[in-house]
Amino acid sequence: MYVTGAQWVLPGLYRDHFPLLHPDKDGKMVHYLDNSATTQKPEILIQATSFFYQNFNANVHRGVYGLAAQATQAYENVRAAVARFIKAPQAQEIIFTSGATESLNMVANWMGQALLKKGDEVIVSMMEHHANLVPWQQQCARSQAKMVAWLPNEKGELDLDRLQSLITKETRVIAVTHVSNVLGTVNPIREICALAHQHNILVVVDGSQAVAHIPVNVEDMDCDFYCFSAHKMFGPTGLGILYGKKDLLNQVTPFRFGGEMVDIVTFEESSFMPLPARLEAGTPNMAGVYGMGATLNFLKSVTYDAIYLAEQKLMHHMFQLLERMEGIKLLGQASERVPVFSLLFEDMHPGDVAQVLDQMNVAVRAGYHCAMPLHRYYQAGNGSLRVSLAFYNNQEDLEALEEGLKKARKLLVR
Ligand code: PLP
């Protein structure tokens, strides 16, 4: 029920545009609070994907016939739209991948092969998702470089003084997330890049959890690489973005080889295409890319200003809810944050709580959220229960969560 007349009425911004969130014929609906794992899809994306298959489906960058040219044009238009969306200076600096994981692996793989050598150091924050941690472990092992941990403080923030103290003459790269998928912390990427660049260090940013919440301006942040997945920002699955500064992307060794990315091929050797094709081997996710264009238009009409306001209200409401509950500790208290809340329970296992919530149609995530080292660092051995909100979440979602948490206590605590 909406609390009418109260200051914190939460209607759920643009909620009607998300079919999966609609109540069914019996009035039942899912209270989807697992938006860090993946976001729900607006109708316009669903329609655009099907429109592509019905009207534009031909392989891109290959055929000379009209349909193929149309498909290619549509594909390249979205590349330009993504560049404008994250304020990348040139469309060529946008590489379509299968997801943030592939984007991050592509960068780490290149660095491990071409840049890192024995004795070099890579600073990786302790709040990284495994996708921005394990590739560095692998590449450091391969090149005999050393991984250096940048530890967050007790509030769950990354401190620049601490970073300064970790930088040495051997530091080559800093790998850091824009927004933590566990703590919700928004990290000061602009300041991190400024400090790193004073020491000629490259900065690889994992933007996966930022894009649903805050506008991204890669030029202003001056990061060297920025990686994210479309499905975390109301876009299609199976599509990722790798942004890189052009001079760096030009040096990145292809991660995959095959059609599309080659220029001249003889039986013995091949030459490669210029950017961006060089880094996009094989048939890409064309319908996904087309759908992404629709999602970007949708987000433009929603606006990040409106998202900010909706999420501030959601956060306020969520903090009040947590204050009313017993035996819950919030992991991370950063002052710059998005509505991602990882909860620890004094006397319940997060997995058990998630099951009780599921019975009430409340979808949350329990476990380590692909950030085991961070949980270990905060001595959260059982993992946590993550409630991750998006602008379409409403009062009823939070009321269902509160009711579910109370029920879990009744059932699970003796
Ligand atoms: N980085 C962060 C911070 C994430 O939250 C995730 C997914 O949860 C990823 C990277 C990996 O994204 P994907 O699985 O879409 O490649």
Side-chain angles (χ1 to χ4, degrees):
M1 288 306 115
Y2 297 155
V3 181
T4 45
Q7 194 184 353
W8 301 108
V9 173
L10 304 170
L13 192 61
Y14 281 78
R15 190 174 174 102
D16 291 355
H17 291 242
F18 292 84
L20 192 139
L21 301 174
H22 295 173
D24 67 12
K25 58 179 182 359
D26 304 319
K28 254 175 69 175
M29 63 178 177
V30 64
H31 297 289
Y32 187 75
L33 308 178
D34 193 18
N35 293 285
S36 291
T38 195
T39 50
Q40 293 307 333
K41 311 306 169 203
E43 181 71 44
I44 192 173
L45 159 66
I46 299 165
Q47 280 173 8
T49 311
S50 133
F51 183 86
F52 179 86
Y53 285 126
Q54 284 180 13
N55 298 283
F56 280 157
N57 187 45
N59 212 328
V60 293
H61 299 134
R62 291 163 207 236
V64 289
Y65 52 90
L67 191 61
Q70 262 185 319
T72 302
Q73 190 57 54
Y75 183 83
E76 290 305 323
N77 285 349
V78 177
R79 191 192 306 282
V82 172
R84 287 193 298 277
F85 200 76
I86 62 166
K87 308 281 186 289
Q90 299 182 44
Q92 290 170 314
E93 294 175 316
I94 303 299
I95 307 298
F96 290 124
T97 65
S98 65
T101 301
E102 189 185 17
S103 304
L104 290 160
N105 271 278
M106 200 190 283
V107 177
N109 182 67
W110 162 61
M111 289 190 178
Q113 255 182 40
L115 195 85
L116 298 175
K117 54 183 188 337
K118 190 173 175 181
D120 283 349
E121 291 177 5
V122 177
I123 297 177
V124 181
S125 103
M126 187 58 95
M127 64 169 80
E128 296 314 302
H129 184 281
H130 297 160
N132 200 24
L133 178 81
V134 182
W136 299 109
Q137 286 174 348
Q138 295 294 310
Q139 297 307 326
C140 285
R142 173 188 196 171
S143 56
Q144 293 186 278
K146 188 173 130 197
M147 254 174 79
V148 177
W150 181 10
L151 303 176
N153 61 23
E154 59 297 333
K155 281 177 75 185
E157 294 170 332
L158 290 173
D159 176 294
L160 288 170
D161 290 338
R162 206 173 272 188
L163 175 62
Q164 176 77 69
S165 73
L166 297 175
I167 291 175
T168 69
K169 283 203 301 299
E170 279 64 55
T171 312
R172 298 286 163 263
V173 191
I174 297 170
V176 63
T177 192
H178 194 170
V179 171
S180 163
N181 70 322
V182 175
L183 311 167
T185 311
V186 179
N187 289 318
I189 300 299
R190 198 160 174 264
E191 290 72 16
I192 293 169
C193 293
L195 178 57
H197 292 158
Q198 282 169 24
H199 301 270
N200 287 324
I201 299 167
L202 294 174
V203 184
V204 180
V205 182
D206 177 356
S208 304
Q209 294 297 338
V211 280
H213 305 286
I214 53 179
V216 170
N217 185 330
V218 289
E219 199 175 21
D220 179 61
M221 290 188 291
D222 197 26
C223 52
D224 298 291
F225 294 98
Y226 195 90
C227 306
F228 59 99
S229 292
H231 73 95
K232 307 254 194 212
M233 57 180 300
F234 321 101
T237 54
L239 177 68
I241 310 298
L242 164 62
Y243 156 80
K245 287 181 179 165
K246 190 175 164 196
D247 58 332
L248 290 168
L249 275 184
N250 265 325
Q251 297 169 49
V252 171
T253 32
F255 186 53
R256 298 182 193 285
F257 301 89
E260 294 278 302
M261 52 80 70
V262 282
D263 184 15
I264 309 284
V265 181
T266 67
F267 193 75
E268 292 77 22
E269 57 180 13
S270 309
S271 61
F272 304 136
M273 295 289 280
L275 287 177
R278 210 166 62 80
L279 298 175
E280 289 181 8
T283 300
N285 181 356
M286 303 173 300
V289 168
Y290 190 74
M292 180 67 169
T295 290
L296 294 183
N297 286 335
F298 172 71
L299 282 174
K300 254 193 268 163
S301 56
V302 176
T303 76
Y304 278 105
D305 284 347
I307 292 176
Y308 175 81
L309 289 177
E311 293 192 350
Q312 286 299 312
K313 286 185 185 179
L314 283 165
M315 276 198 280
H316 177 91
H317 207 86
M318 187 67 194
F319 278 122
Q320 287 193 331
L321 183 161
L322 291 175
E323 261 173 37
R324 291 194 290 273
M325 307 299 298
E326 276 172 76
I328 295 184
K329 191 178 151 225
L330 179 62
L331 212 46
Q333 304 278 348
S335 30
E336 286 292 317
R337 63 175 300 141
V338 300
V340 174
F341 301 85
S342 291
L343 312 179
L344 306 177
F345 301 96
E346 257 167 33
D347 33 25
M348 298 187 284
H349 193 286
D352 296 337
V353 179
Q355 278 189 6
V356 174
L357 288 171
D358 177 47
Q359 289 163 13
M360 303 178 69
N361 271 332
V362 178
V364 294
R365 174 105 171 252
Y368 301 101
H369 327 308
C370 299
M372 274 194 200
L374 183 69
H375 280 84
R376 194 161 302 137
Y377 174 64
Y378 284 122
Q379 291 162 359
N382 288 333
S384 58
L385 182 100
R386 185 179 66 187
V387 176
S388 53
L389 306 175
F391 60 76
Y392 44 59
N393 285 123
N394 66 7
Q395 190 99 16
E396 280 163 298
D397 291 336
L398 293 197
E399 284 173 3
L401 171 70
E402 182 162 5
E403 220 179 294
L405 289 172
K406 284 184 187 154
K407 185 172 172 193
R409 271 198 85 71
K410 248 193 223 148
L411 289 172
L412 303 169
V413 181
R414 307 218 164 256

